[in-house]
Amino acid sequence: MHLPTKVTIKEVGPRDGLQNESKFIETQDKVDWINLLSKTGLDYIEVSSFVHPKWIPQLADSEQVLKSINREKGVTYAALVPNIRGLERALTCNVNEVSVFMSASEGHNKSNINKTIDETFPVLKEVVDEALKANVKVRGYVSTVIACPYDGPVSPEQVLKVVDRLAEMGVYEISLGDTIGVGVPTQVESLLSTLLKHFPSNLFAMHFHDTRGTALANVVKSLEMGITTFDSSTGGLGGCPYAKGASGNVSTEDLLYMLSAMNIETGVNQEALIESAFFIEEKIGKKLVSKQMEIARNERSANVDNARTV
Amino acid sequence: MHLPTKVTIKEVGPRDGLQNESKFIETQDKVDWINLLSKTGLDYIEVSSFVHPKWIPQLADSEQVLKSINREKGVTYAALVPNIRGLERALTCNVNEVSVFMSASEGHNKSNINKTIDETFPVLKEVVDEALKANVKVRGYVSTVIACPYDGPVSPEQVLKVVDRLAEMGVYEISLGDTIGVGVPTQVESLLSTLLKHFPSNLFAMHFHDTRGTALANVVKSLEMGITTFDSSTGGLGGCPYAKGASGNVSTEDLLYMLSAMNIETGVNQEALIESAFFIEEKIGKKLVSKQMEIARNERSANVDNARTV
């Protein structure tokens, strides 16, 4: 296998994870969690979203979160912004980077943004222009790159069209999201082989949801295609709005396990990461489902059992 | 990707799954479950084990199970046998096929069989000889092909030595087990590229445990190496004796989802499989964790919600 030797993990749990949880997590708990994540060796954390609180009340405290977290040297603290008003709010909080977002499919774009794909471009372009003027880098998310919950399968050519426009705007990276977690490696290969005919692999990050258990298999195929940046969520937080209770983003700690075992460097410390996962699990008050957390739970209970028998 | 167009799934839940559950499942429930599995399109079911009940009390009823199940045409009903006494018992029950087993690592072999690897070969040879005389095909399991809970990493060369001896005995297929579920695709590739220098790919089946979430990624790498037979367990049953509470075998329905989405034919019906998973979940009395079951649960509860709002 031809694999990269180094990969960047972008932690999206505080944004993509928490926005899909029904419970509002107290601002101080979010801040404490992000501070823990900042100490794991991760160098990129998407901390919140400036989408209007009417739509994502879970992240209504984005300004306070960004203003309260400790900023570790070398860590990028990013936030999602939907439009120029969101950007303005984000810029007042010393955000390091922003992300804009849209979908590759009309159905999901309409449902998520209430605009057609063509209507969305100028809105994002305004954000990108203003952010770059303010010396803030912009990342682009493209959702539903494999399939759409409304429109069904999405062709690589349709994704290419959206990618083309975003790249032209000046986003430095495009995160390709299998939003509903249906993708399999053959589809990932088909998508990437189309895109990589036109763009270098370092333009792309992959953003897999593990709804059907295929996320790590898709990561491996992406690595083989030359991708070196992956989004993930501590504890596999996030769920799927289209399959209530299903798995969310691929979990950062399971991704890290696999990458490490394949001798791919990330700079992230597994133990510290798992501690941060247990921290947010307690605050959310529901069991998170990553394999690494499960193993850590068992080791802890085994240690308790051993302590009892001594 | 160069992938096979057709794959055989060997269902090992009634044996490998149930032997790792602490609860004894009533014989009639096992029989009913196997009868459901027989109707899913699976053409191979490992229904029980003839290891002495002192070691695996959960499967003490292997004779009754084999004698009570409905035999569907075209389905192979197999059982695990540890030695000649086990084989004799199995042959009285009209077993279609038997499996012998050993480990690639001394530590696990000693712990599991209470013999060294060299001491194990003649015991298995006796079984293979007698079974073949009785016109019963024999499959061989090799455990700990990636790593051993006692000895650590296991080299492909060590696996090759064991495979060599089993092939020489006349087993028709060797199932390579990542018993503790630590493997990643690079290791699978390394193992298989060593073995496939000496043996054809159709000698091997892969048997992955999903303890760390890498099973499906390992399946994909195996498919790319030409492997067309995979063991799995409905509902991801089984756990791991070395990590209490952790995930068991890769789940048949998640494997099936991925294969189907990659246009690989298996002949298995997903809906029927999930029904059988819910059946055994209820009998075991604990929530099984496959992604497909989770999705089905959510769809069911959504349907209930919809019914309420109408």
Side-chain angles (χ1 to χ4, degrees):
Chain A
M1 291 171 80
H2 295 283
L3 296 174
T5 55
K6 200 174 175 325
V7 150
T8 300
I9 298 180
K10 298 201 166 177
E11 169 66 36
V12 297
R15 195 277 304 171
D16 200 16
L18 294 187
Q19 80 173 27
N20 281 303
E21 294 298 327
S22 49
K23 187 177 170 185
F24 181 84
I25 304 300
E26 294 301 323
T27 305
Q28 190 57 49
D29 292 336
K30 287 173 181 150
V31 169
D32 290 345
W33 182 37
I34 294 164
N35 288 345
L36 286 173
L37 290 169
S38 288
K39 298 274 194 186
T40 59
L42 286 163
D43 54 20
Y44 189 102
I45 307 174
E46 194 174 69
V47 295
S48 196
S49 163
F50 287 87
V51 169
H52 195 285
K54 184 169 66 175
W55 306 114
I56 308 185
Q58 300 94 320
L59 303 181
D61 55 0
S62 50
E63 272 121 334
Q64 288 137 279
V65 168
L66 263 163
K67 286 175 178 168
S68 308
I69 52 175
N70 298 334
R71 306 284 181 124
E72 290 291 328
K73 211 182 144 186
V75 180
T76 298
Y77 297 92
L80 200 71
V81 298
N83 51 35
I84 198 74
R85 291 175 301 286
L87 176 67
E88 283 159 5
R89 287 168 59 212
L91 291 178
T92 65
C93 317
N94 190 24
V95 74
N96 300 131
E97 231 186 80
V98 293
S99 297
V100 295
F101 58 97
M102 63 184 298
S103 311
S105 60
E106 289 290 352
H108 189 261
N109 203 69
K110 191 84 190 172
S111 151
N112 206 32
I113 308 187
N114 202 25
K115 288 186 172 52
T116 67
I117 286 176
D118 276 340
E119 288 163 357
T120 305
F121 290 128
V123 177
L124 303 196
K125 184 170 180 351
E126 193 184 7
V127 173
V128 177
D129 288 347
E130 286 305 308
L132 294 180
K133 260 189 235 167
N135 275 319
V136 166
K137 286 166 76 184
V138 187
R139 188 178 200 232
Y141 278 107
V142 182
S143 296
T144 60
V145 300
I146 304 283
C148 170
Y150 309 104
D151 304 346
V154 174
S155 73
E157 290 69 30
Q158 177 62 22
V159 179
L160 177 60
K161 277 186 207 165
V162 173
V163 161
D164 237 336
R165 296 287 294 271
L166 284 172
E168 199 185 292
M169 283 179 205
V171 303
Y172 77 97
E173 181 173 277
I174 296 175
S175 174
L176 302 168
D178 177 15
T179 311
I180 55 173
V182 293
V184 292
T186 44
Q187 293 166 327
V188 171
E189 184 184 51
S190 162
L191 171 65
L192 285 174
S193 60
T194 296
L195 298 179
L196 297 177
K197 274 179 210 146
H198 303 272
F199 297 99
S201 59
N202 66 5
L203 178 65
F204 300 106
M206 300 305 290
H207 180 105
F208 292 117
H209 284 238
D210 201 31
T211 319
R212 286 160 187 82
T214 55
L216 290 181
N218 291 337
V219 167
V220 173
K221 185 45 65 190
S222 307
L223 290 166
E224 292 181 302
M225 306 282 293
I227 303 297
T228 59
T229 302
F230 294 91
D231 298 353
S232 61
S233 198
T234 300
L237 260 173
C240 174
Y242 305 98
K244 204 182 67 168
S247 299
N249 289 93
V250 63
S251 97
T252 308
E253 56 273 25
D254 290 347
L255 174 62
L256 177 59
Y257 170 80
M258 188 181 74
L259 294 174
S260 301
M262 298 201 298
N263 297 315
I264 296 173
E265 198 190 316
T266 62
V268 184
N269 180 280
Q270 184 68 282
E271 271 182 52
L273 199 61
I274 289 175
E275 283 310 314
S276 79
F278 281 117
F279 176 87
I280 194 63
E281 178 182 54
E282 197 200 316
K283 301 304 176 191
I284 291 177
K286 89 172 183 199
K287 195 177 169 189
L288 299 181
V289 295
S290 81
K291 302 286 188 183
Q292 289 298 316
M293 288 181 80
E294 200 62 43
I295 289 169
R297 264 184 215 108
N298 296 327
E299 280 170 3
R300 286 167 188 208
S301 70
N303 287 341
V304 170
D305 288 348
N306 287 343
R308 277 185 192 138
T309 55
V310 169
Chain B
M1 291 171 84
H2 295 281
L3 297 175
T5 54
K6 200 175 176 325
V7 150
T8 299
I9 297 180
K10 298 202 165 176
E11 170 66 35
V12 296
R15 195 277 303 171
D16 200 15
L18 293 187
Q19 80 174 26
N20 281 301
E21 295 297 326
S22 49
K23 187 176 169 183
F24 180 84
I25 304 300
E26 294 301 324
T27 305
Q28 190 57 49
D29 292 336
K30 287 172 180 150
V31 169
D32 291 344
W33 181 36
I34 294 163
N35 288 346
L36 286 173
L37 289 170
S38 287
K39 298 273 194 189
T40 60
L42 285 162
D43 54 20
Y44 189 101
I45 307 173
E46 195 175 69
V47 295
S48 196
S49 163
F50 287 87
V51 169
H52 196 284
K54 183 169 67 174
W55 305 115
I56 307 185
Q58 299 94 319
L59 303 182
D61 54 0
S62 49
E63 272 120 335
Q64 288 138 280
V65 168
L66 263 162
K67 285 174 178 167
S68 309
I69 52 175
N70 298 333
R71 308 283 181 124
E72 291 290 329
K73 209 181 146 189
V75 180
T76 298
Y77 298 91
L80 201 71
V81 298
N83 51 35
I84 197 75
R85 289 175 302 288
L87 176 67
E88 283 158 4
R89 288 169 59 213
L91 291 178
T92 65
C93 316
N94 189 25
V95 74
N96 300 131
E97 231 186 80
V98 294
S99 297
V100 294
F101 59 97
M102 62 182 300
S103 311
S105 61
E106 287 291 353
H108 188 262
N109 203 69
K110 191 84 190 170
S111 151
N112 206 33
I113 307 187
N114 201 25
K115 287 185 172 54
T116 66
I117 286 176
D118 276 341
E119 288 164 359
T120 305
F121 291 127
V123 178
L124 303 197
K125 185 171 181 343
E126 195 184 7
V127 174
V128 177
D129 288 347
E130 286 304 309
L132 294 180
K133 260 189 237 167
N135 275 321
V136 167
K137 286 166 76 183
V138 186
R139 188 177 199 232
Y141 277 107
V142 182
S143 298
T144 61
V145 299
I146 304 282
C148 170
Y150 307 105
D151 303 347
V154 174
S155 73
E157 290 69 30
Q158 178 61 23
V159 180
L160 177 61
K161 276 186 209 166
V162 173
V163 161
D164 238 335
R165 296 287 294 270
L166 284 172
E168 200 185 292
M169 283 180 205
V171 303
Y172 77 96
E173 180 173 277
I174 296 175
S175 173
L176 302 167
D178 178 15
T179 312
I180 55 174
V182 294
V184 292
T186 45
Q187 294 166 328
V188 171
E189 184 184 51
S190 162
L191 170 65
L192 284 174
S193 59
T194 296
L195 298 180
L196 297 178
K197 274 179 211 147
H198 303 271
F199 297 99
S201 57
N202 66 4
L203 178 66
F204 300 106
M206 300 306 289
H207 180 106
F208 292 116
H209 284 239
D210 201 31
T211 319
R212 286 158 186 84
T214 55
L216 289 182
N218 291 337
V219 167
V220 173
K221 185 48 65 189
S222 308
L223 289 166
E224 291 181 303
M225 307 282 294
I227 303 297
T228 59
T229 303
F230 295 90
D231 298 354
S232 61
S233 199
T234 299
L237 262 173
C240 174
Y242 305 98
K244 203 183 67 169
S247 299
N249 290 93
V250 64
S251 95
T252 307
E253 57 274 25
D254 290 347
L255 173 62
L256 177 59
Y257 170 79
M258 189 180 74
L259 294 173
S260 301
M262 298 201 299
N263 297 316
I264 296 172
E265 199 189 317
T266 62
V268 184
N269 179 280
Q270 184 68 281
E271 270 181 53
L273 199 59
I274 290 176
E275 283 310 313
S276 79
F278 282 118
F279 176 87
I280 194 63
E281 177 181 55
E282 196 200 318
K283 301 305 177 191
I284 292 177
K286 90 173 184 198
K287 194 178 169 186
L288 299 181
V289 296
S290 81
K291 302 288 188 182
Q292 288 299 316
M293 288 181 80
E294 199 62 43
I295 289 169
R297 266 184 213 108
N298 296 327
E299 280 169 2
R300 286 166 186 207
S301 69
N303 287 341
V304 171
D305 289 348
N306 288 343
R308 278 186 192 138
T309 55
V310 169

